[in-house]
Amino acid sequence: MAYNLLKGKKGIIFGALDEKSIAWRTALRCHEESAQLVLTNAPVALRMGEINKLAEEVKAPVIGADVTSMEDLKKLFEESMKHFGGGIDFVLHSIGMSLNVRKGKSYTEIDYEWNKKTLDISAMSLHRVLRTAWDMDALNEGASVVALTYIAAQRVFPDYNEMADAKALLESVARSFGYNYGMKKKVRVNTVSQSPTRTTAGSGVKGFDGFITYAEKMSPLGNASADECADYCVTLFSDLTKMVTMQNLFHDGGFSSIGVTEAVINQMEK
Ligand code: NAI
């Protein structure tokens, strides 16, 4: 069901790789709610070609940008503003990549050069995006920026590896830039801490099947799906949440407030 919540709003969506991506699901929901969109991803991801299907569906141009390149980001914002004929109302940062996880290094033996790249792609990229918009005055008054994160920023999930540190940094950037952009232009910056979700990035975590089943049993409402995450992001982009900023918002079916559930106790007693 659509409510026209984003009528007249213009947004940039980072990170739609394939139809399972949280960014993909969010682009579809934003379109349903009448937003105008620009889609972006790293040039290497665009070569897969999948995103063109989404672009057609949501009637959006695709502009390539490696999120670690200030030059790419400047071009992306310039072209987006030209396309929209003005400023931007919302941004979804749905980007994550761990080189050490990909290359099979455990947390205690990470390669620091790869770690720098992981932190740059997965966390400081939010700073780069906000800084680019700040320098160009690209965001409209009251605009909303959302980045996706995971509860490994607060608690230990061993196989999440260096991404736990990346998410902690990402959440901190959201708060710190949220302060500055809020003071300057009432721009809101929040992170949404999502349940484990079967996507390309999600499934890269070792032992993901056990992980997702455990989270399901530990959440009174069960795991939140990518489509449900998209719904939540739509509310954050809308004017209904105008006073929400600098928050890490759990979208996890209650997982973050649970000590233990009966389902897990029963499993232990077997
Ligand atoms: P995904 O693999 O579909 O999306 C990750 C995206 O990051 C891809 O589109 C990829 O091309 C993009 N990316 C990687 N390097 C980039 C670069 N240098 N420049 C621009 N884009 C780049 O996976 P998913 O799950 O949709 O991930 C989206 C976000 O949600 C990530 O931040 C992830 O950490 C977060 N998240 C995912 C959960 C899960 O279980 N899937 C749970 C909680 C948060």
Side-chain angles (χ1 to χ4, degrees), residues 12-270:
I12 302 180
I13 306 261
F14 287 81
L17 183 67
D18 57 33
E19 61 181 18
K20 293 197 281 318
S21 300
I22 297 169
W24 188 292
R25 310 317 304 171
T26 307
L28 290 176
R29 276 301 281 125
C30 290
H31 176 66
E32 261 176 44
E33 293 296 337
S34 311
Q36 274 176 267
L37 301 174
V38 163
L39 303 175
T40 181
N41 210 328
V44 45
L46 296 188
R47 283 201 282 278
M48 273 174 53
E50 282 286 290
I51 201 171
N52 298 328
K53 279 193 245 163
L54 176 65
E56 216 170 285
E57 231 174 302
V58 302
K59 299 182 179 49
V62 179
I63 302 171
D66 181 326
V67 84
T68 61
S69 157
M70 294 307 279
E71 209 177 296
D72 282 12
L73 288 173
K74 185 161 181 272
K75 195 171 130 268
L76 166 68
F77 274 91
E78 274 168 5
E79 288 182 18
S80 300
M81 286 170 83
K82 206 157 133 203
H83 170 72
F84 292 139
I88 288 144
D89 300 298
F90 65 89
V91 175
L92 178 72
H93 176 289
S94 185
I95 298 165
M97 225 278 282
S98 163
L99 274 86
N100 280 292
V101 167
R102 189 181 270 190
K103 299 188 185 207
K105 289 268 189 195
S106 71
Y107 187 71
T108 49
E109 58 176 21
I110 55 172
D111 176 289
Y112 295 112
E113 287 308 310
W114 292 341
N115 179 248
K116 273 191 209 159
K117 289 206 173 135
T118 298
L119 298 180
D120 198 9
I121 295 171
S122 309
M124 288 314 290
S125 58
L126 178 63
H127 195 288
R128 290 176 182 276
V129 167
L130 288 163
R131 164 82 178 278
T132 305
W134 175 279
D135 287 349
M136 294 172 64
D137 196 19
L139 299 183
N140 292 331
E141 175 120 351
S144 171
V145 178
V146 170
L148 291 169
T149 187
Y150 184 59
I151 194 174
Q154 288 81 29
R155 306 212 195 131
V156 173
F157 294 82
D159 291 328
Y160 208 66
N161 203 314
E162 63 178 355
M163 277 303 283
D165 301 339
K167 291 306 193 191
L169 179 57
L170 177 79
E171 292 173 18
S172 181
V173 168
R175 271 188 303 273
S176 302
F177 226 120
Y179 165 75
N180 286 284
Y181 230 149
M183 295 300 288
K184 178 174 164 149
K185 226 178 161 185
K186 296 199 180 332
V187 168
R188 308 181 277 130
V189 187
N190 294 291
T191 48
V192 167
S193 189
Q194 163 68 6
S195 297
T197 316
R198 281 187 205 284
T199 61
T200 304
S203 312
V205 178
K206 207 168 102 199
F208 189 75
D209 282 342
F211 199 54
I212 200 166
T213 310
Y214 172 73
E216 174 82 19
K217 287 190 187 305
M218 280 286 280
S219 310
L221 304 183
N223 287 330
S225 69
D227 282 321
E228 286 156 344
C229 186
D231 286 341
Y232 192 38
C233 291
V234 164
T235 67
L236 291 169
F237 296 149
S238 82
D239 290 339
L240 297 178
T241 50
K242 265 197 298 225
M243 295 305 282
V244 181
T245 193
M246 300 163 67
Q247 302 299 310
N248 180 43
L249 303 161
F250 289 102
H251 184 257
D252 63 358
F255 179 87
S256 47
S257 288
I258 289 291
V260 75
T261 56
E262 272 177 31
V264 170
I265 291 177
N266 291 342
Q267 191 85 22
M268 299 307 290
E269 284 182 338
K270 269 186 196 160

